[in-house]
Amino acid sequence: MLGALAPGINGPTRNTLKMRFLSLGWCACDIFGLAFFSNSSLIFHVTRRIGEEDDADCIKEVGFDLILCRLIGNKPNMTITAFPVIKNGCVMVRGKVVLTGVPENVFISPATPGSAFIGATSTTFSSRHVFNLGILENCKFMCLFIAKIWWMIPRVGKSAKDIPMETQMLLLEAGEESFLADDETIEETVTQNKFYVLILPVLDGAFRTTLQGTQSNELQFCYESGDPQVQTCQAREGVFVNSGDNPFQLIKDSIKILAKHKGTFSHLENKKAPAHLDWFGWCTWDAFYTHVTPNGIKEGLQSFKDGGISPKFLIIDDGWQETVNEYHKEGEPLIEGTQFATRLTDITENSKFRESESDGSSANLKELIHYIKENYGLMYVYMWHALAGYWGGVLASSEALKNLEKYGVGVIDPEKVFHFYNDMHSYLASSGVDGVKVDVQNLLETLGSGYGGRVSITKQYHEALDESIEKNFGDNNLICCMCHISDSVFSSKKSATARASEDFMPNEPTFQTLHIASVSFNSLLLGDIVVQIGICSIATMTQLSSMVQHEHWAVVQSIDKPGKHDFNILKKLVLQDGSVLRARYAGRPTRDCLFIDPVMDGKRLLKIWNLNKITGVVGVFNCQGAGCWPMKQAPENYSTTAATYISDRVSPLDVEYLDDIAGKNWTGDSAVYAFNSGSLSRVPKNKSVEVSLGVLQCEIFTVSPIKFAPIGLINMYNSGGAVEEYILKDTITIKARGCGLFGAYSSVKPSCCKVDKKDEEFTYCSRMDY
């Protein structure tokens, strides 16, 4: 305004400046009015962009500040939340230092209010860069990294040196008081003010990003295309950063932001779930491996039928295709490793499935599928194949596949791969097949050279696969396997189901604890992108692993050999009609277990939470002392045989989003039912019950918010999964699935009990902890 009054300013300019400043004044009044008299949030956004690399067309974006202020009424307190920013050589989130010693070539650019991308520039072009992000020390973290080419596992620590190569997710625990506080300080002063920082390496155009740490506690990100011809001098959006008070909501929101921003994948809520998810299934892999035959399949299905529980869903795994191994000479033993060079020679079934059965039931794949559906009540039959056709791709000299050009190790040209999928899937569909399990997906990361890089070839294969599935099977009937690498995860546009972890090893008892822990932690990233499927042997696993089926996965799927099924366990997993009591989400570690090592620290039990429609569930597992993580040195005096009992506590607060299903009039109390002990306790929301377990022991708690609290079918592991809905009036009406012994908590004895309008006897116990 003073500038408008200065000498030498002409009339029109003076009037324009006056109007601008008057408008600015009105805006300021509106802003402060909203601040003091509204619950709305105000967002101030400043972006600074400087410099250009003349030879590389690289723009250096040195930082931005986003501040969210909320002033409510006349309250003296103001909540200020700081957004990701580089300031004084530090990456700061909510005003707290996350990384120190940030190099000058690192920059931040906004994604949404509250989230951002971290990038970096280089002076040279390359297909692979490793950028330093800064120093990470004295901060609790949990990360997920690729331990094998196919699978992720978790790792916890406090400094960057503990972060392995190929890390695909990093979650930090922070405190409002002091980000770098020690354990005692966090416990005493920051517990109520914890927040979480998600650092997620993502796909950026043709490049894939991963995190890694150095011995000097530098956090780095690796940025690579996988094709020497695809080069860059900068990583614009390689690493995504977001923060939140609820770690599970933080990850969910972040996945949604990235799905919308990147457009290369979809959040699970936007995908169509296959119908087989709600049914018990059997996979032929561990029963037969590649020696699967029609007779073996029928023997397995008959043994289920004789036991009174029949699968409705079957996967005919590896072993049905026509293949050749050029490195294996007939009559000589197989050289270890050469099995992965075996190649596909035809899209039709091999000779084992074309031989006439002695009972005349089938002479080809189509007749076999018709027979087993008719005689064993199967609803869905899936066939296995690899993403590239087979483990070693397809055989270049195969007459059956001569219409497809082959390159390298037998990889099909990405521009032609849809035709390959369409030919195979149309043949399978015409034979009565309902869907496919597509395995060996991470192989593509090694085949990107000459095809635009690993991200490009993976994207093209997945798009072609999705298109063929939709055309030939229609119901998104696809299970992805060996697909944990981020190229595949962030190319998952339509596929809605995937394997949760490495194969279950029934003959390796020490593997059970690793399997359970890795599945639950992997769910943190994968659970918002796909429904996770696990397979395990019901016969050889302990109760620990059988109970985790409902806690983690959407499908109960056995791999037992014919006649080796444990029907006592199956009856706790599967209803009489072959359906399963499926929880709403993927099972994830409770908040207090996110930053512990439940396998090797010897101190803590692993708690895993989930939700049903009406109840919550917490599985508690002693995974200590029975196995060791790969690539991690065991502490001194560590024993895998010590029968150590460990105690912990379970609270209704362990179940995230319990308030959402409890309803408006919930008092905060819950009925907590322990499956193994059969005990029932009334537990206030902020209280807990103790549990003590030996190695490989477990317990599952059903948590039902009390007004009237249905527990469900108490002889099923996921008891509350049987409760579909209930209406609380003068008469309590419950809609449930299955049949069996139903339990509920009521503060007074009901006057009567009816099932399908018929009076039923019931027992009532007036004391707790019976």
Side-chain angles (χ1 to χ4, degrees), residues 546-615:
S546 63
M547 293 175 79
V548 84
Q549 287 252 11
H550 264 114
E551 192 58 37
H552 285 316
W553 303 321
V555 172
V556 179
Q557 188 175 307
S558 170
I559 55 174
D560 291 327
K561 299 178 186 296
K564 300 295 184 181
H565 316 297
D566 189 329
F567 289 98
N568 289 327
I569 290 178
L570 281 174
K571 289 175 181 178
K572 299 170 185 176
L573 293 166
V574 185
L575 297 176
Q576 289 83 349
D577 64 354
S579 65
V580 297
L581 303 179
R582 182 160 68 100
R584 290 170 59 175
Y585 304 116
R588 297 166 178 139
T590 56
R591 288 200 201 195
D592 58 342
C593 289
L594 284 174
F595 303 99
I596 67 163
D597 182 350
V599 173
M600 293 178 62
D601 71 9
K603 301 174 182 178
R604 294 290 303 275
L605 300 176
L606 174 61
K607 297 188 293 180
I608 303 168
W609 71 273
N610 214 321
L611 271 185
N612 297 306
K613 292 181 179 179
I614 304 297
T615 64

Side-chain angles (χ1 to χ4, degrees), residues 395-626:
L395 185 66
S397 59
S398 168
E399 283 296 316
L401 301 177
K402 63 183 179 181
N403 61 317
L404 297 172
E405 294 182 43
K406 269 72 65 177
Y407 304 92
V409 297
V411 62
I412 301 167
D413 187 332
E415 295 182 359
K416 298 177 180 292
V417 73
F418 168 74
H419 302 295
F420 168 70
Y421 290 146
N422 186 54
D423 287 347
M424 179 186 290
H425 294 162
S426 61
Y427 173 75
L428 293 176
S430 69
S431 300
V433 174
D434 301 287
V436 287
K437 170 187 171 183
V438 181
D439 213 337
V440 203
Q441 296 201 8
N442 287 6
L443 174 69
L444 291 181
E445 71 166 290
T446 66
L447 304 175
S449 182
Y451 294 103
R454 54 188 294 168
V455 175
S456 176
I457 191 173
T458 300
K459 180 176 181 290
Q460 291 179 80
Y461 266 64
H462 275 277
E463 287 177 347
L465 179 63
D466 286 341
E467 184 180 354
S468 179
I469 295 296
E470 184 174 6
K471 179 180 178 181
N472 293 291
F473 301 118
D475 291 322
N476 205 18
N477 288 351
L478 168 65
I479 299 172
C480 295
C481 191
M482 291 185 165
C483 57
H484 284 188
I485 209 152
S486 56
D487 310 55
S488 295
V489 173
F490 294 131
S491 295
S492 175
K493 193 77 173 176
K494 294 182 179 179
S495 55
T497 56
R499 273 276 302 279
S501 76
E502 186 174 3
D503 292 17
F504 181 81
M505 308 294 186
N507 298 319
E508 298 181 24
T510 59
F511 188 77
Q512 291 188 32
T513 56
L514 306 182
H515 187 72
I516 292 167
S518 62
V519 169
S520 62
F521 280 91
N522 288 346
S523 299
L524 292 166
L525 175 59
L526 301 178
D528 281 302
I529 300 174
V530 291
V531 177
Q532 296 174 90
I533 293 177
I535 59 174
C536 58
S537 169
I538 305 295
T540 58
M541 66 185 175
T542 63
Q543 189 186 38
L544 180 105
S545 292
S546 63
M547 293 175 79
V548 84
Q549 287 252 11
H550 264 114
E551 192 58 37
H552 285 316
W553 303 321
V555 172
V556 179
Q557 188 175 307
S558 170
I559 55 174
D560 291 327
K561 299 178 186 296
K564 300 295 184 181
H565 316 297
D566 189 329
F567 289 98
N568 289 327
I569 290 178
L570 281 174
K571 289 175 181 178
K572 299 170 185 176
L573 293 166
V574 185
L575 297 176
Q576 289 83 349
D577 64 354
S579 65
V580 297
L581 303 179
R582 182 160 68 100
R584 290 170 59 175
Y585 304 116
R588 297 166 178 139
T590 56
R591 288 200 201 195
D592 58 342
C593 289
L594 284 174
F595 303 99
I596 67 163
D597 182 350
V599 173
M600 293 178 62
D601 71 9
K603 301 174 182 178
R604 294 290 303 275
L605 300 176
L606 174 61
K607 297 188 293 180
I608 303 168
W609 71 273
N610 214 321
L611 271 185
N612 297 306
K613 292 181 179 179
I614 304 297
T615 64
V617 58
V618 179
V620 188
F621 307 89
N622 188 344
C623 297
Q624 302 284 356

Side-chain angles (χ1 to χ4, degrees), residues 743-756:
Y745 170 88
S746 178
S747 57
V748 296
K749 183 178 180 179
S751 60
C752 66
C753 177
K754 295 178 182 287
V755 177
D756 292 335

Side-chain angles (χ1 to χ4, degrees), residues 379-396:
M379 299 167 63
Y380 309 99
V381 176
Y382 280 31
M383 305 299 288
W384 178 99
H385 72 79
L387 189 63
Y390 204 71
W391 292 89
V394 297
L395 185 66

